[in-house]
Amino acid sequence: MIVQVHIHIKPECVDAFRQATIENARNSLREPGIARFDLLEHADDPQRFELVEAYRSEEAMAAHKVTAHYNQWAAAVADMFAEPRTRSRYKSVFPADSDW
């Protein structure tokens, strides 16, 4: 299960959002159910970010939402969004799930 999260941050919050999200990503990669947790910044708009999260199962995705580091991140960035974030969900076609 792959989730892509589309994020638009207030201009005055970009640095704080980046720092908080890097910390969350570092901790997320320690979870056994997460294969990847990427933070991308749009090349032409520093207020726009993407999270690309690859989970080994639906259960791993649910487990991530109850971790202390996720909840700390969510509280820290709650007022930083210029608009609500949106998500797209994908299934891996290539590479095979076993290769993640």
Side-chain angles (χ1 to χ4, degrees):
M1 180 56 55
I2 299 167
V3 178
Q4 188 171 3
V5 184
H6 316 283
I7 300 168
H8 184 197
I9 296 299
K10 296 174 185 173
E12 66 275 15
C13 298
V14 168
D15 289 336
F17 174 82
R18 188 184 301 114
Q19 290 174 350
T21 305
I22 288 170
E23 184 63 22
N24 180 53
R26 278 191 190 118
N27 286 300
S28 296
L29 286 173
R30 294 182 182 128
E31 296 176 49
I34 295 182
R36 291 191 63 108
F37 202 98
D38 300 345
L39 171 62
L40 308 174
E41 184 175 328
H42 194 284
D44 297 326
D45 185 349
Q47 291 178 247
R48 297 203 180 263
F49 293 85
E50 299 287 326
L51 287 172
V52 181
E53 308 167 14
Y55 296 92
R56 299 187 191 284
S57 67
E58 291 282 342
E59 294 80 15
M61 188 181 334
H64 172 66
K65 299 288 186 183
V66 297
T67 61
H69 61 87
Y70 171 80
N71 286 300
Q72 182 179 6
W73 172 82
V77 302
D79 295 328
M80 296 183 186
F81 298 100
E83 61 188 89
R85 61 187 188 251
T86 61
R87 290 178 181 82
S88 301
R89 291 176 57 142
Y90 300 90
K91 294 186 294 184
S92 181
V93 175
F94 183 87
D97 289 346
S98 60
D99 293 333
W100 280 89

